[in-house]
């Protein structure tokens, strides 16, 4: 029978042309050509209707079988095409998880903070507690109790930042010019023995240059007990200088005057670069100035209710920026507070 042979041929040829195609466009063209409304199978099936009634069942059966077979082949091929497309997409979007990540920028400690922590650790090993106090202070604590009389040049408005309208029971209000008021507050609150350091920001109204800033960071130390002497101070500062600047460091005192100590001394340390033989940093002297010190003035002890006949004590004050400048070879104090990331990153 012609029609049945034609259906056989359509099925055979269509299956052959489908082959192993994995191309979505080619598969769609095949579907339209074979299974579409005007496709070869539909055209052939029109022939069933015009057959003699006795021949129709066989031909119809064959046509349906061909249709099922071709549709099955089509869907099988379609799922292969989809799987292939998905595999391609996965390959194209592959992420290499072994690639190193982009580094996130992180902050780091400020050089003055790092030095401050080192100083605190060195003193902590000697039994000193680190104490803080207000940066806005009464002149009573900043000056008067420290034996700085009202006519002293340190009170001159040229040297201090006063707070407008800031007057009260403590006198006038100002940005503290030293961390000594923390010593005063500690002595008022605690009975001897006292061993503290007082690190923190201080403020002076002066012109800035490579070695002067209007704001800088001090660390002061205070030791009050029975039979405390200048030798204890020198020993303490030597241990700390060696912790910060190396085992060759030595400390010497030169006479100095500060109203809150008697006797007073300027503290020098052997140059950490030339160990005393003389270089550019120590201006050929072999010594580097660190700050001021002395035995706490008996009048200061009496001011805070400590009996100067029973107790004695020493105190010192140094600039932490100066320590950082010596340690890292920084030549201009203003660099610390310009917040230039290129400068700060060097200490990360
Ligand atoms: Zn030197």
């Amino acid at each position: 029978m012609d029609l049945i042979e034609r259906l056989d041929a359509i099925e055979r040829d269509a299956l052959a042309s489908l082959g192993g195609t994995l191309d979505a466009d080619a598969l769609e063209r095949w579907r339209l050509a074979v299974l579409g409304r005007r496709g070869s199978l539909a055209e052939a099936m029109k022939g069933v209707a015009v057959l003699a009634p006795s021949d129709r069942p066989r031909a119809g059966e064959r046509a349906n079988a061909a249709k099922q077979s071709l549709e099955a082949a089509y869907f099988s091929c379609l799922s292969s095409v989809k799987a292939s497309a998905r595999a391609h997409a996965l390959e194209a979007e592959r992420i290499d998880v072994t690639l190193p990540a982009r580094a996130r920028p992180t902050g780091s400690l400020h050089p003055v903070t790092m030095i401050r922590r080192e100083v605190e650790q060195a003193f902590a090993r000697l039994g000193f507690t680190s104490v803080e106090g207000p940066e806005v202070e009464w002149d009573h604590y900043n000056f008067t109790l420290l034996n700085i009389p009202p006519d002293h040049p340190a009170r001159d408005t040229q040297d201090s930042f006063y707070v407008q309208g800031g007057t009260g029971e403590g006198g006038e209000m100002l940005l503290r010019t030293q961390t000594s008021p923390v010593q005063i507050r500690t002595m008022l609150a605690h009975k001897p023995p006292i061993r503290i350091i007082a690190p923190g920001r201080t403020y002076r109204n002066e012109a800035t240059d490579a070695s002067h800033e209007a704001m800088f960071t001090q660390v002061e130390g205070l030791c009050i007990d029975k039979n405390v002497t200048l030798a204890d101070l020198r020993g303490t500062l030597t241990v700390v200088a060696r912790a910060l600047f190396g085992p060759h460091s030595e400390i010497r005192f030169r006479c100095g005057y500060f109203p809150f100590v008697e006797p007073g001394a300027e503290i020098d340390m052997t140059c950490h670069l030339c160990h005393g033989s003389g270089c550019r940093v120590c201006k050929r002297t072999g010594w580097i100035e660190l700050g001021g010190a002395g035995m706490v003035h008996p009048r200061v002890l009496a001011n805070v209710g400590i009996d100067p006949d029973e107790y004695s004590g020493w105190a010192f004050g140094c600039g932490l920026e100066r320590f950082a400048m010596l340690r890292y070879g920084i030549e201009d104090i203003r660099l610390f507070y310009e917040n230039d990331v290129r400068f700060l990153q060097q200490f990360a």
Side-chain angles (χ1 to χ4, degrees):
M1 186 190 284
D2 279 355
L3 183 56
I4 292 201
E5 283 170 12
R6 198 176 145 206
L7 286 166
D8 286 345
I10 287 171
E11 183 182 351
R12 187 178 61 244
D13 293 350
L15 288 176
S17 71
L18 188 59
T21 184
L22 288 176
D23 182 311
D25 292 339
L27 181 61
E28 180 60 9
R29 284 196 299 275
W30 182 93
R31 186 187 70 80
L32 291 170
V34 177
L35 296 171
R37 273 194 300 150
R38 295 196 191 104
S40 53
L41 190 61
E43 289 298 321
M45 286 176 89
K46 284 179 190 164
V48 175
V50 297
L51 286 176
S54 60
D55 290 334
R56 279 182 209 160
R58 250 187 82 212
E61 205 175 300
R62 181 66 190 92
N64 279 329
K67 189 179 180 214
Q68 280 172 16
S69 151
L70 290 169
E71 281 180 349
Y74 167 76
F75 285 116
S76 160
C77 197
L78 183 63
S79 72
S80 295
V81 166
K82 283 183 175 170
S84 166
R86 185 170 156 72
H88 268 100
L90 285 175
E91 184 62 32
E93 293 164 16
R94 176 194 286 274
I95 293 167
D96 183 354
V97 294
T98 66
L99 275 176
R102 286 190 198 96
R104 282 169 171 273
T106 52
S108 58
L109 292 177
H110 193 277
V112 172
T113 303
M114 294 196 290
I115 282 287
R116 171 180 167 160
R117 289 187 181 181
E118 274 191 58
V119 170
E120 286 176 324
Q121 282 165 8
F123 276 100
R125 286 194 288 271
L126 298 172
F128 284 75
T129 308
S130 186
V131 180
E132 295 192 328
E135 290 178 30
V136 180
E137 190 53 280
W138 298 110
D139 70 27
H140 187 62
Y141 296 104
N142 193 80
F143 291 131
T144 310
L145 291 179
L146 284 157
N147 199 31
I148 301 174
D151 54 353
H152 194 279
R155 286 187 168 225
D156 196 307
T157 49
Q158 293 300 307
D159 297 322
S160 309
F161 291 110
Y162 282 89
V163 177
Q164 249 181 350
T167 48
E169 81 267 28
E172 284 190 275
M173 201 179 261
L174 73 161
L175 299 183
R176 67 183 179 190
T177 59
Q178 48 198 353
T179 57
S180 310
V182 180
Q183 297 189 30
I184 294 292
R185 287 172 178 276
T186 302
M187 288 189 284
L188 285 170
H190 300 280
K191 293 291 150 210
I194 293 171
R195 270 191 287 276
I196 61 153
I197 58 168
R201 293 192 191 94
T202 54
Y203 304 84
R204 297 203 189 159
N205 187 9
E206 57 188 13
T208 63
D209 60 30
S211 50
H212 295 88
E213 254 290 7
M215 184 199 83
F216 57 101
T217 316
Q218 256 198 344
V219 59
E220 293 188 5
L222 173 71
C223 174
I224 308 276
D225 205 343
K226 288 174 181 169
N227 305 314
V228 169
T229 69
L230 270 184
D232 300 320
L233 170 60
R234 189 171 160 198
T236 302
L237 291 177
T238 303
V239 168
V240 172
R242 287 177 181 173
L244 291 172
F245 294 102
H248 302 285
S249 303
E250 297 290 346
I251 293 290
R252 77 173 181 187
F253 293 147
R254 283 176 292 114
C255 280
Y257 170 75
F258 305 98
F260 31 85
V261 285
E262 179 57 41
E266 305 270 2
I267 315 163
D268 291 343
M269 175 186 75
T270 42
C271 177
H272 59 299
L273 294 177
C274 64
H275 302 315
S277 59
C279 69
R280 192 174 66 87
V281 169
C282 59
K283 302 187 182 94
R284 311 283 162 203
T285 64
W287 294 93
I288 286 174
E289 288 182 33
L290 285 189
M295 297 303 291
V296 179
H297 199 292
R299 202 173 298 149
V300 173
L301 291 177
N303 284 345
V304 294
I306 293 175
D307 183 355
D309 292 328
E310 190 180 1
Y311 291 100
S312 58
W314 50 253
F316 72 87
C318 298
L320 284 176
E321 286 85 358
R322 179 143 177 81
F323 284 174
M325 289 167 83
L326 292 170
R327 165 68 76 79
Y328 301 117
I330 299 164
E331 298 196 336
D332 193 325
I333 192 173
R334 292 168 292 193
L335 287 167
F336 287 116
Y337 303 111
E338 283 174 354
N339 279 335
D340 186 333
V341 173
R342 293 168 302 178
F343 170 76
L344 296 172
Q345 272 176 342
Q346 298 177 71
F347 308 95

